[in-house]
Amino acid sequence: MSVFSYKQRNNIILVSIIVLGCFLLYALSGLFSSILGAVVLYTIFRSTYIYLVEKRGLNGPVVAVGVIVTSLIVIVIPFLLLSFMVINKIAELNADTLLLQRWFRKIDAFTGANLNRPHFAEEAVQKLSDYATELFPSIIGGAANIVVILLFMYFILYFMFVQMRSFEAGMLRYAPVREQHALKFAQELRNSTYSNVLGQGIISIVQGVLLANGFWIFGIPDPIFWGVIGTFISFLPVVGAPTLTIPAGLLLMADGHAIKGVVLIAYGVLFIGNVDNVLRMAINKRIANTHPLISLVGVFIGLPLFGILGLVFGPLLLSYFLLLVEIYQTNRMAAERLERIRTGPDL
Protein backbone atom coordinates (compact mmCIF):
# COMPACT_ATOMS: atom_id res chain seq x y z
CA MET A 1 0.00 0.00 0.00
CA SER A 2 1.32 3.46 -0.94
CA VAL A 3 2.71 5.67 1.83
CA PHE A 4 1.20 8.72 0.08
CA SER A 5 -2.39 9.77 0.21
CA TYR A 6 -4.43 10.57 -2.90
CA LYS A 7 -3.98 14.32 -2.37
CA GLN A 8 -0.23 13.95 -1.75
CA ARG A 9 0.21 11.95 -4.96
CA ASN A 10 -1.62 14.63 -6.93
CA ASN A 11 0.57 17.34 -5.39
CA ILE A 12 3.74 15.39 -6.26
CA ILE A 13 2.52 14.91 -9.83
CA LEU A 14 1.70 18.63 -10.10
CA VAL A 15 5.17 19.63 -8.87
CA SER A 16 6.73 17.14 -11.31
CA ILE A 17 4.73 18.63 -14.18
CA ILE A 18 5.87 22.15 -13.27
CA VAL A 19 9.55 21.12 -12.94
CA LEU A 20 9.55 19.17 -16.21
CA GLY A 21 7.67 21.98 -17.94
CA CYS A 22 10.27 24.53 -16.85
CA PHE A 23 13.04 22.21 -18.02
CA LEU A 24 11.37 21.78 -21.42
CA LEU A 25 10.88 25.54 -21.77
CA TYR A 26 14.55 26.08 -21.00
CA ALA A 27 15.57 23.39 -23.49
CA LEU A 28 13.40 24.98 -26.20
CA SER A 29 14.44 28.56 -25.45
CA GLY A 30 16.70 28.60 -28.52
CA LEU A 31 13.69 27.82 -30.71
CA PHE A 32 11.29 30.19 -28.95
CA SER A 33 11.32 32.52 -31.96
CA SER A 34 10.16 29.59 -34.13
CA ILE A 35 7.15 29.05 -31.86
CA LEU A 36 6.28 32.75 -31.89
CA GLY A 37 6.70 32.89 -35.66
CA ALA A 38 4.38 29.92 -36.12
CA VAL A 39 1.74 31.62 -33.95
CA VAL A 40 1.99 34.83 -36.01
CA LEU A 41 1.71 33.02 -39.35
CA TYR A 42 -1.15 30.88 -38.03
CA THR A 43 -3.05 34.02 -37.02
CA ILE A 44 -2.46 35.68 -40.40
CA PHE A 45 -3.46 32.70 -42.58
CA ARG A 46 -6.10 31.06 -40.34
CA SER A 47 -9.12 32.60 -42.07
CA THR A 48 -7.69 31.72 -45.50
CA TYR A 49 -7.13 28.12 -44.45
CA ILE A 50 -10.68 27.81 -43.07
CA TYR A 51 -12.16 29.26 -46.26
CA LEU A 52 -10.23 26.93 -48.58
CA VAL A 53 -10.67 23.76 -46.52
CA GLU A 54 -14.09 24.09 -44.91
CA LYS A 55 -15.94 26.18 -47.51
CA ARG A 56 -14.22 25.18 -50.74
CA GLY A 57 -13.58 21.57 -49.70
CA LEU A 58 -9.87 21.48 -50.57
CA ASN A 59 -7.46 18.99 -49.00
CA GLY A 60 -6.20 20.28 -45.62
CA PRO A 61 -2.56 19.11 -45.80
CA VAL A 62 -2.23 20.45 -49.36
CA VAL A 63 -3.60 23.83 -48.31
CA ALA A 64 -1.23 23.87 -45.31
CA VAL A 65 1.73 23.30 -47.62
CA GLY A 66 0.43 26.05 -49.91
CA VAL A 67 0.22 28.44 -46.96
CA ILE A 68 3.81 27.59 -46.01
CA VAL A 69 5.06 28.24 -49.56
CA THR A 70 3.09 31.51 -49.75
CA SER A 71 4.50 32.77 -46.45
CA LEU A 72 8.01 31.89 -47.63
CA ILE A 73 7.56 33.90 -50.83
CA VAL A 74 5.76 36.87 -49.29
CA ILE A 75 7.35 37.21 -45.84
CA VAL A 76 10.53 35.17 -45.27
CA ILE A 77 12.35 35.45 -48.60
CA PRO A 78 12.08 39.29 -48.77
CA PHE A 79 13.82 39.55 -45.40
CA LEU A 80 16.56 37.19 -46.54
CA LEU A 81 17.00 39.15 -49.79
CA LEU A 82 17.21 42.36 -47.78
CA SER A 83 19.97 40.81 -45.69
CA PHE A 84 21.93 39.99 -48.82
CA MET A 85 21.34 43.51 -50.18
CA VAL A 86 22.64 45.09 -46.99
CA ILE A 87 25.67 42.77 -46.92
CA ASN A 88 26.51 43.58 -50.55
CA LYS A 89 26.11 47.31 -49.96
CA ILE A 90 28.35 47.14 -46.89
CA ALA A 91 30.93 45.28 -48.97
CA GLU A 92 30.77 47.98 -51.66
CA LEU A 93 31.20 50.74 -49.08
CA ASN A 94 34.10 48.91 -47.45
CA ALA A 95 35.73 48.63 -50.86
CA ASP A 96 35.40 52.39 -51.28
CA THR A 97 36.17 53.65 -47.79
CA LEU A 98 37.45 56.97 -49.10
CA LEU A 99 33.98 57.85 -50.44
CA LEU A 100 32.35 56.84 -47.16
CA GLN A 101 34.84 58.82 -45.10
CA ARG A 102 34.34 61.85 -47.35
CA TRP A 103 30.58 61.71 -46.76
CA PHE A 104 31.07 61.39 -43.00
CA ARG A 105 33.55 64.28 -42.89
CA LYS A 106 31.20 66.52 -44.83
CA ILE A 107 28.21 65.71 -42.64
CA ASP A 108 30.20 66.02 -39.40
CA ALA A 109 31.71 69.33 -40.51
CA PHE A 110 28.29 70.74 -41.38
CA THR A 111 26.55 69.51 -38.22
CA GLY A 112 29.48 70.60 -36.07
CA ALA A 113 29.42 74.13 -37.48
CA ASN A 114 25.64 74.60 -37.59
CA LEU A 115 24.14 72.18 -35.05
CA ASN A 116 26.99 71.73 -32.53
CA ARG A 117 27.01 67.97 -33.34
CA PRO A 118 30.53 67.25 -34.66
CA HIS A 119 30.06 63.45 -34.52
CA PHE A 120 26.54 63.26 -35.94
CA ALA A 121 27.36 60.80 -38.76
CA GLU A 122 29.25 58.42 -36.47
CA GLU A 123 26.45 58.41 -33.88
CA ALA A 124 23.77 57.91 -36.54
CA VAL A 125 25.59 54.97 -38.10
CA GLN A 126 26.03 53.37 -34.67
CA LYS A 127 22.33 53.69 -33.86
CA LEU A 128 21.32 52.31 -37.25
CA SER A 129 23.67 49.37 -36.70
CA ASP A 130 22.04 48.65 -33.33
CA TYR A 131 18.56 48.77 -34.86
CA ALA A 132 19.65 46.56 -37.77
CA THR A 133 21.00 44.01 -35.31
CA GLU A 134 17.59 43.83 -33.62
CA LEU A 135 15.48 43.95 -36.77
CA PHE A 136 17.51 41.74 -39.09
CA PRO A 137 19.11 38.94 -37.11
CA SER A 138 19.71 37.10 -40.39
CA ILE A 139 22.52 39.52 -41.15
CA ILE A 140 24.60 38.42 -38.19
CA GLY A 141 23.17 34.98 -37.43
CA GLY A 142 24.55 31.75 -38.80
CA ALA A 143 22.90 30.29 -41.87
CA ALA A 144 22.53 26.87 -40.24
CA ASN A 145 20.72 28.38 -37.26
CA ILE A 146 18.33 30.24 -39.57
CA VAL A 147 17.49 27.05 -41.46
CA VAL A 148 16.80 25.17 -38.20
CA ILE A 149 14.53 27.95 -36.92
CA LEU A 150 12.57 28.08 -40.19
CA LEU A 151 12.20 24.29 -40.42
CA PHE A 152 10.98 24.05 -36.82
CA MET A 153 8.61 27.00 -37.31
CA TYR A 154 7.00 25.49 -40.41
CA PHE A 155 6.87 22.03 -38.83
CA ILE A 156 4.80 23.51 -35.97
CA LEU A 157 2.70 25.61 -38.36
CA TYR A 158 1.84 22.61 -40.53
CA PHE A 159 0.38 20.62 -37.65
CA MET A 160 -1.35 23.69 -36.22
CA PHE A 161 -3.30 23.91 -39.48
CA VAL A 162 -3.86 20.21 -40.13
CA GLN A 163 -5.08 19.65 -36.56
CA MET A 164 -6.66 23.09 -36.21
CA ARG A 165 -9.87 22.17 -34.39
CA SER A 166 -8.23 19.88 -31.85
CA PHE A 167 -5.45 22.43 -31.34
CA GLU A 168 -7.87 25.28 -30.64
CA ALA A 169 -10.09 23.07 -28.47
CA GLY A 170 -7.05 22.13 -26.39
CA MET A 171 -6.07 25.78 -26.00
CA LEU A 172 -9.57 26.59 -24.73
CA ARG A 173 -9.61 23.56 -22.44
CA TYR A 174 -6.35 24.38 -20.70
CA ALA A 175 -6.74 28.16 -20.67
CA PRO A 176 -6.63 29.48 -17.09
CA VAL A 177 -9.57 31.84 -17.76
CA ARG A 178 -13.21 31.38 -18.72
CA GLU A 179 -14.01 30.55 -22.34
CA GLN A 180 -15.33 33.99 -23.26
CA HIS A 181 -12.18 35.58 -21.85
CA ALA A 182 -9.97 33.09 -23.72
CA LEU A 183 -11.78 34.00 -26.94
CA LYS A 184 -11.18 37.65 -26.15
CA PHE A 185 -7.46 36.90 -25.74
CA ALA A 186 -7.51 35.25 -29.18
CA GLN A 187 -9.21 38.32 -30.63
CA GLU A 188 -6.49 40.55 -29.15
CA LEU A 189 -3.87 38.31 -30.78
CA ARG A 190 -5.62 38.71 -34.12
CA ASN A 191 -5.95 42.49 -33.73
CA SER A 192 -2.33 42.92 -32.71
CA THR A 193 -1.06 40.71 -35.54
CA TYR A 194 -3.18 42.35 -38.22
CA SER A 195 -2.42 45.88 -37.03
CA ASN A 196 1.33 45.49 -36.51
CA VAL A 197 2.14 43.08 -39.36
CA LEU A 198 -0.36 43.62 -42.16
CA GLY A 199 -1.16 47.24 -41.33
CA GLN A 200 2.43 48.27 -40.67
CA GLY A 201 3.51 46.34 -43.78
CA ILE A 202 1.25 48.50 -45.96
CA ILE A 203 2.52 51.68 -44.29
CA SER A 204 6.16 50.62 -44.70
CA ILE A 205 5.78 49.85 -48.41
CA VAL A 206 4.15 53.24 -49.06
CA GLN A 207 6.87 55.06 -47.11
CA GLY A 208 9.62 53.13 -48.90
CA VAL A 209 8.19 54.03 -52.32
CA LEU A 210 7.88 57.70 -51.35
CA LEU A 211 11.44 57.72 -49.99
CA ALA A 212 12.84 56.15 -53.16
CA ASN A 213 10.99 58.71 -55.31
CA GLY A 214 12.30 61.57 -53.18
CA PHE A 215 15.89 60.34 -53.36
CA TRP A 216 15.58 59.89 -57.13
CA ILE A 217 14.19 63.40 -57.62
CA PHE A 218 16.93 65.02 -55.51
CA GLY A 219 19.74 62.98 -57.07
CA ILE A 220 20.70 60.75 -54.12
CA PRO A 221 22.65 57.67 -55.32
CA ASP A 222 20.97 54.22 -55.22
CA PRO A 223 17.39 55.44 -54.55
CA ILE A 224 15.90 51.94 -54.98
CA PHE A 225 18.26 50.48 -52.40
CA TRP A 226 17.49 53.21 -49.89
CA GLY A 227 13.78 52.84 -50.62
CA VAL A 228 13.99 49.14 -49.71
CA ILE A 229 15.95 49.97 -46.54
CA GLY A 230 13.36 52.63 -45.69
CA THR A 231 10.56 50.09 -46.17
CA PHE A 232 12.01 47.75 -43.57
CA ILE A 233 13.14 50.31 -40.97
CA SER A 234 9.65 51.83 -41.10
CA PHE A 235 8.65 48.91 -38.88
CA LEU A 236 10.67 50.57 -36.12
CA PRO A 237 9.05 53.20 -33.91
CA VAL A 238 10.40 56.75 -34.10
CA VAL A 239 13.16 55.82 -36.59
CA GLY A 240 11.18 55.08 -39.76
CA ALA A 241 11.87 55.97 -43.38
CA PRO A 242 11.66 59.77 -42.87
CA THR A 243 14.79 59.75 -40.71
CA LEU A 244 16.86 58.65 -43.73
CA THR A 245 16.12 62.00 -45.40
CA ILE A 246 17.96 63.83 -42.59
CA PRO A 247 21.52 62.56 -43.33
CA ALA A 248 20.76 62.70 -47.08
CA GLY A 249 19.64 66.32 -46.75
CA LEU A 250 22.68 67.18 -44.65
CA LEU A 251 24.90 65.62 -47.30
CA LEU A 252 23.27 67.82 -49.95
CA MET A 253 23.81 70.89 -47.74
CA ALA A 254 27.43 69.93 -47.17
CA ASP A 255 27.86 69.68 -50.97
CA GLY A 256 26.59 73.24 -51.35
CA HIS A 257 22.94 72.46 -52.22
CA ALA A 258 21.35 74.03 -49.14
CA ILE A 259 17.88 74.55 -50.62
CA LYS A 260 17.65 71.00 -51.99
CA GLY A 261 18.79 69.64 -48.64
CA VAL A 262 16.19 71.60 -46.67
CA VAL A 263 13.42 70.63 -49.08
CA LEU A 264 14.41 66.93 -48.91
CA ILE A 265 14.36 66.94 -45.10
CA ALA A 266 11.01 68.75 -45.08
CA TYR A 267 9.67 66.24 -47.63
CA GLY A 268 10.70 63.34 -45.39
CA VAL A 269 9.71 64.70 -42.00
CA LEU A 270 6.51 66.54 -42.93
CA PHE A 271 5.13 64.59 -45.89
CA ILE A 272 6.33 60.99 -45.47
CA GLY A 273 5.96 61.23 -41.67
CA ASN A 274 2.36 62.42 -41.91
CA VAL A 275 1.52 59.70 -44.43
CA ASP A 276 2.36 57.26 -41.61
CA ASN A 277 -0.16 58.93 -39.27
CA VAL A 278 -2.97 59.13 -41.85
CA LEU A 279 -2.56 55.55 -43.05
CA ARG A 280 -2.27 54.20 -39.51
CA MET A 281 -5.59 55.76 -38.49
CA ALA A 282 -7.33 54.41 -41.60
CA ILE A 283 -5.84 50.93 -41.23
CA ASN A 284 -6.65 50.68 -37.53
CA LYS A 285 -10.30 51.42 -38.35
CA ARG A 286 -10.51 48.87 -41.18
CA ILE A 287 -8.15 46.07 -40.07
CA ALA A 288 -7.96 46.20 -36.28
CA ASN A 289 -9.03 48.69 -33.65
CA THR A 290 -5.66 48.84 -31.87
CA HIS A 291 -4.83 52.12 -30.16
CA PRO A 292 -1.68 53.71 -31.68
CA LEU A 293 -0.22 54.27 -28.20
CA ILE A 294 -0.44 50.53 -27.46
CA SER A 295 1.35 49.77 -30.73
CA LEU A 296 4.09 52.34 -30.10
CA VAL A 297 4.83 51.45 -26.47
CA GLY A 298 4.42 47.73 -27.20
CA VAL A 299 7.02 47.79 -29.97
CA PHE A 300 9.53 49.44 -27.62
CA ILE A 301 8.81 46.66 -25.12
CA GLY A 302 8.88 43.81 -27.63
CA LEU A 303 11.94 44.51 -29.78
CA PRO A 304 14.55 43.96 -27.02
CA LEU A 305 12.77 40.77 -25.90
CA PHE A 306 11.76 39.08 -29.17
CA GLY A 307 13.63 40.83 -31.98
CA ILE A 308 11.52 41.43 -35.08
CA LEU A 309 8.67 39.31 -33.64
CA GLY A 310 8.44 41.93 -30.90
CA LEU A 311 6.57 44.06 -33.45
CA VAL A 312 3.62 41.75 -32.77
CA PHE A 313 4.23 40.32 -29.32
CA GLY A 314 5.22 43.60 -27.65
CA PRO A 315 1.84 45.27 -28.33
CA LEU A 316 0.19 41.91 -27.64
CA LEU A 317 1.75 41.69 -24.16
CA LEU A 318 0.60 45.22 -23.40
CA SER A 319 -2.91 44.45 -24.71
CA TYR A 320 -3.03 41.27 -22.61
CA PHE A 321 -1.98 43.20 -19.52
CA LEU A 322 -4.77 45.73 -20.01
CA LEU A 323 -7.22 42.92 -20.77
CA LEU A 324 -6.26 41.06 -17.58
CA VAL A 325 -6.84 44.25 -15.59
CA GLU A 326 -10.28 44.55 -17.20
CA ILE A 327 -11.12 40.88 -16.46
CA TYR A 328 -9.95 41.27 -12.86
CA GLN A 329 -12.12 44.34 -12.36
CA THR A 330 -15.13 42.56 -13.91
CA ASN A 331 -14.66 39.47 -11.74
CA ARG A 332 -14.18 41.57 -8.63
CA MET A 333 -17.39 43.52 -9.20
CA ALA A 334 -19.26 40.26 -9.89
CA ALA A 335 -17.88 38.75 -6.66
CA GLU A 336 -18.93 41.84 -4.70
CA ARG A 337 -22.48 41.66 -6.13
CA LEU A 338 -22.74 37.97 -5.21
CA GLU A 339 -21.49 38.73 -1.72
CA ARG A 340 -24.10 41.47 -1.27
CA ILE A 341 -26.84 39.12 -2.50
CA ARG A 342 -25.69 36.36 -0.13
CA THR A 343 -25.38 38.53 2.95
CA GLY A 344 -28.43 40.67 2.17
CA PRO A 345 -28.70 44.46 2.33
CA ASP A 346 -26.92 46.30 5.09
CA LEU A 347 -29.18 47.36 7.96
Side-chain angles (χ1 to χ4, degrees):
M1 187 174 180
S2 176
V3 297
F4 299 107
S5 66
Y6 179 79
K7 184 176 181 181
Q8 288 173 334
R9 285 198 298 270
N10 278 347
N11 290 335
I12 292 173
I13 292 173
L14 178 60
V15 171
S16 301
I17 291 173
I18 294 173
V19 171
L20 288 175
C22 293
F23 176 77
L24 291 174
L25 286 175
Y26 175 77
L28 293 173
S29 60
L31 297 174
F32 192 56
S33 59
S34 299
I35 299 172
L36 296 182
V39 172
V40 171
L41 292 177
Y42 177 82
T43 305
I44 292 174
F45 292 102
R46 178 181 180 275
S47 58
T48 302
Y49 180 87
I50 292 175
Y51 172 77
L52 294 176
V53 174
E54 298 185 358
K55 295 186 178 181
R56 300 298 298 272
L58 299 181
N59 182 269
V62 173
V63 174
V65 173
V67 167
I68 289 173
V69 173
T70 302
S71 66
L72 272 172
I73 295 173
V74 175
I75 299 175
V76 177
I77 291 179
F79 276 95
L80 295 178
L81 292 177
L82 174 68
S83 299
F84 291 129
M85 284 183 63
V86 172
I87 291 171
N88 290 334
K89 179 59 66 174
I90 291 174
E92 291 177 9
L93 293 175
N94 287 335
D96 192 2
T97 55
L98 293 178
L99 176 63
L100 195 62
Q101 292 174 2
R102 181 172 65 86
W103 286 354
F104 286 175
R105 282 197 299 269
K106 284 186 176 182
I107 294 176
D108 286 341
F110 179 84
T111 55
N114 296 277
L115 304 175
N116 197 26
R117 297 285 300 275
H119 303 291
F120 176 84
E122 180 181 350
E123 294 172 356
V125 169
Q126 182 61 45
K127 289 180 180 179
L128 286 175
S129 299
D130 294 339
Y131 279 124
T133 300
E134 294 177 349
L135 190 59
F136 307 119
S138 57
I139 297 176
I140 60 174
N145 185 48
I146 297 169
V147 171
V148 170
I149 290 175
L150 289 177
L151 287 175
F152 191 69
M153 179 182 71
Y154 282 120
F155 180 79
I156 296 173
L157 182 64
Y158 175 82
F159 286 102
M160 288 173 71
F161 278 127
V162 172
Q163 301 176 357
M164 172 184 289
R165 295 307 177 190
S166 59
F167 166 72
E168 294 183 352
M171 295 294 292
L172 285 175
R173 179 181 178 184
Y174 292 105
V177 294
R178 298 170 64 183
E179 182 174 343
Q180 63 266 34
H181 293 152
L183 293 175
K184 199 169 183 179
F185 274 104
Q187 184 65 30
E188 287 294 333
L189 173 60
R190 178 188 176 278
N191 289 346
S192 181
T193 302
Y194 276 41
S195 177
N196 292 283
V197 175
L198 299 181
Q200 186 58 44
I202 296 172
I203 294 172
S204 298
I205 291 172
V206 172
Q207 286 192 327
V209 170
L210 292 175
L211 181 72
N213 287 335
F215 276 20
W216 176 71
I217 292 171
F218 288 95
I220 302 297
D222 295 327
I224 295 178
F225 169 79
W226 291 114
V228 174
I229 296 297
T231 297
F232 282 88
I233 69 169
S234 291
F235 280 96
L236 293 170
V238 180
V239 182
T243 57
L244 292 178
T245 62
I246 297 176
L250 293 175
L251 183 61
L252 289 175
M253 295 179 190
D255 275 338
H257 305 289
I259 296 178
K260 290 176 65 176
V262 171
V263 174
L264 178 59
I265 294 174
Y267 169 79
V269 175
L270 299 179
F271 181 68
I272 300 179
N274 283 319
V275 165
D276 182 331
N277 297 328
V278 173
L279 286 177
R280 190 179 301 278
M281 291 179 61
I283 288 171
N284 281 345
K285 288 181 179 180
R286 296 183 64 89
I287 295 181
N289 189 23
T290 302
H291 196 282
L293 188 60
I294 293 179
S295 299
L296 180 63
V297 176
V299 168
F300 275 113
I301 295 171
L303 277 178
L305 294 175
F306 307 111
I308 189 172
L309 293 175
L311 295 170
V312 174
F313 285 94
L316 184 62
L317 287 177
L318 187 56
S319 298
Y320 276 6
F321 173 78
L322 297 176
L323 183 58
L324 283 173
V325 172
E326 179 183 343
I327 292 172
Y328 172 78
Q329 291 176 338
T330 302
N331 290 341
R332 183 176 179 180
M333 288 189 294
E336 289 176 352
R337 285 196 299 268
L338 290 174
E339 181 65 19
R340 286 196 299 267
I341 293 172
R342 187 180 65 85
T343 57
D346 295 333
L347 298 177

